[in-house]
Amino acid sequence: MPYTIPNNSCVGCDNCRPQCPTGAIKIENDEYWIDPSLCNNCEGYYPEPQCVVACPTNSPIPWQAKRGRCRVEPREVTSPDLFSNGKSNPFASAIVIWEACNVLAQRTSLSWETDEQGNLCYRRQVYQGKGAIAFHILASADPSTSVTEKPPKLVTDLGAIEALDIRNACIHLIFAAYATSLDRPWEQEFAIDERQLEKYLGLEKRKDLSKAVKLALMKNLVQQACSLMISIDWPQQGQVKGFSVTGSRLWELVSIQHHFQEDELGCKYLVGLTFKVRAGIWAQHFLNKQGCKERTAFYQYGSLPKSLLTTVMSIWQQHEGAARLMLWLLFKTKMGKEQRITVPTLMRVAYGEEKITLAFRQREERKRLLRTFEHDLEVLNHYGMKPCFDPVTYPPAIQPLWAKLVDIPEDPDEALEFWMNDGGNTSRLTDIGPRGKWNLLMNARILAFDLPPDWEQQIADSEKKQQRTAKNKRKSKTTSDLIGDQILRARKNLNLSQRELAKLAGKSQSWIRDIEKGRLKVKLEDQVVLRKVLGIA
């Protein structure tokens, strides 16, 4: 049980704070208090709490459940709640967000390397190897440690990366959703408190967790989600010029506000947290509405289903591979319904390259990984993400048993007839997989995943955007077909000079010359005139 310090008995001698091995004793507004999420009664360090030993007035007392009416400290207004429709909310979905989600979810399954300074780094090439995105992990995401004040301490041990909680990815996606509500998220802050996080993550239904445990969990998840450092080397892409970002925080934890209740004895109890967060400078390039209109930056967003957050929070411990696949498919399915994902790709996302390599070498590991993969696909199917197997590369003979059982009729008489027919066939539903099933799976593909209804809106929006893009390209192509060689050939076929064509079109000779040489594009209204004069269909 953690300890607390009543204000009316503390003399502010500062004897206790240096003695605390976990750094739980804080000073706020010239008052001492103990963070219950850090205090562990000095277990594992000393036989008795050192704050009690060092205090001349015996001020620290065990934290007790609050009784009776307590005075509540006022709170600042937070940012508006997400998921106003109860289902989904826009969120930033650029490649920076996707890769950061992979880092938080897959952790040591990724290929980490050591940079020149001896810090662990995960690097991902982009745009056909012309650019790269690199991630480092901060050893501490304490808001009192500013990146601009001194070089931040980065993680050098894989153990610290392994200690990251996959649930951090949910916090990361919530931050990405809040960032889309701001015009300049790299300058503006958003505030979110523990009550909002409880609703988004489904923690309000966890009656087995006390308030103190929930606060400690949320504080730890937020700090870990804000521990990512990012460096970007992006080449020129279309009209957007190349840029570089070095050593910037993905999410900057500006401050953590602790909210207390005070009882009749003057004891204060931590009852709430408010986190103020700001996006890093990457948002200036990937979440810039005005820059996107001016074609100097990108603005990429998708739809974040609330059910994804609550599902990951409920299955992360028993089915981590399925949780990883859900987070990865959130971004993959943005590209449309036809993904054509290979089984090795899904396995690498869910379990990492090392486990797949080990499975190739050891038969028992191969069987274990195969059972786990088929079970994780069943979990995805249970939560509405049904895989559509490629009939050519992923035939029924190597499909999971649960996928075959879907076709069994519910009517008892029809089910009996189904099993009688199955028993009379040369191949039966319950037959074991064919010899060499692993090798067949390494060449198998899943055409797509049928998604839950609250995910389908995201796919519909993506397809509409693709259709608009294709339409604009066709329109642009139609416009470009009427410049250059086509106009030149049509003019020569009619034995017209540039001067004569300019006179017929009501333009200058230099304009005709620039059009034929490709220096200018023909406007829509000018196309009509040129087509009529030159007789072009």
Side-chain angles (χ1 to χ4, degrees), residues 247-426:
S248 172
R249 292 195 185 190
L250 185 70
W251 304 109
E252 184 175 352
L253 186 55
V254 179
S255 66
I256 303 177
Q257 296 179 0
H258 299 80
H259 307 293
F260 300 91
Q261 283 185 350
E262 184 177 344
D263 63 12
E264 64 279 1
L265 299 178
C267 298
K268 285 190 174 183
Y269 306 94
L270 183 65
V271 294
L273 297 167
T274 297
F275 307 96
K276 289 189 176 181
V277 183
R278 180 173 55 240
I281 198 64
W282 63 269
Q284 188 173 355
H285 304 283
F286 291 99
L287 199 58
N288 190 335
K289 295 180 182 179
Q290 186 62 32
C292 183
K293 294 178 181 179
E294 299 172 355
R295 297 188 178 183
T296 59
F298 304 102
Y299 184 74
Q300 298 168 324
Y301 67 95
S303 179
L304 174 64
K306 183 181 179 181
S307 60
L308 171 70
L309 303 178
T310 55
T311 301
V312 171
M313 291 294 293
S314 63
I315 70 171
W316 69 276
Q317 203 164 18
Q318 294 83 7
H319 310 288
E320 183 176 340
R324 288 181 175 184
L325 289 174
M326 279 189 178
L327 293 168
W328 186 78
L329 288 171
L330 172 66
F331 297 88
K332 183 66 177 178
T333 51
K334 270 192 61 187
M335 302 175 185
K337 290 186 177 180
E338 294 294 330
Q339 291 100 39
R340 296 187 178 274
I341 310 171
T342 63
V343 169
T345 298
L346 291 174
M347 285 189 172
R348 279 194 293 269
V349 171
Y351 316 113
E353 188 70 41
E354 185 177 347
K355 287 188 176 180
I356 298 178
T357 304
L358 184 62
F360 271 108
R361 291 197 296 258
Q362 298 182 13
R363 184 169 179 268
E364 289 301 320
E365 290 294 331
R366 184 160 58 246
K367 293 169 62 176
R368 185 180 295 109
L369 188 63
L370 180 57
R371 288 195 300 268
T372 304
F373 176 68
E374 292 184 343
H375 187 47
D376 284 338
L377 286 183
E378 184 178 9
V379 173
L380 293 180
N381 181 74
H382 173 74
Y383 285 100
M385 305 182 67
K386 180 182 178 181
C388 301
F389 302 101
D390 182 9
V392 178
T393 61
Y394 211 148
I398 61 174
Q399 290 178 12
L401 179 60
W402 63 264
K404 305 174 187 177
L405 297 177
V406 174
D407 298 328
I408 299 177
E410 295 183 2
D411 183 82
D413 294 332
E414 294 179 359
L416 179 60
E417 184 180 356
F418 174 87
W419 285 113
M420 291 176 62
N421 294 333
D422 180 76
N425 295 331
T426 54

Side-chain angles (χ1 to χ4, degrees), residues 466-481:
Q466 290 179 354
Q467 291 174 359
R468 287 196 300 268
T469 303
K471 184 177 180 180
N472 292 336
K473 286 184 177 180
R474 288 194 299 269
K475 182 178 179 181
S476 176
K477 185 176 180 180
T478 303
T479 303
S480 62
D481 287 341

Side-chain angles (χ1 to χ4, degrees), residues 39-111:
C39 179
N40 66 345
N41 299 349
C42 296
E43 292 181 4
Y45 297 97
Y46 302 101
E48 56 183 326
Q50 294 301 291
C51 57
V52 177
V53 175
C55 183
T57 61
N58 295 323
S59 290
I61 60 175
W63 188 91
Q64 301 291 339
K66 300 179 293 298
R67 296 180 182 275
R69 301 182 63 180
C70 299
R71 184 168 60 87
V72 181
E73 293 182 352
R75 297 192 182 197
E76 295 183 12
V77 178
T78 59
S79 300
D81 286 350
L82 302 176
F83 310 109
S84 57
N85 60 2
K87 295 181 179 180
S88 61
N89 197 88
F91 82 112
S93 61
I95 189 172
V96 174
I97 299 294
W98 189 359
E99 287 302 327
C101 189
N102 290 335
V103 170
L104 293 171
Q106 301 179 36
R107 306 186 303 281
T108 53
S109 297
L110 301 176
S111 301

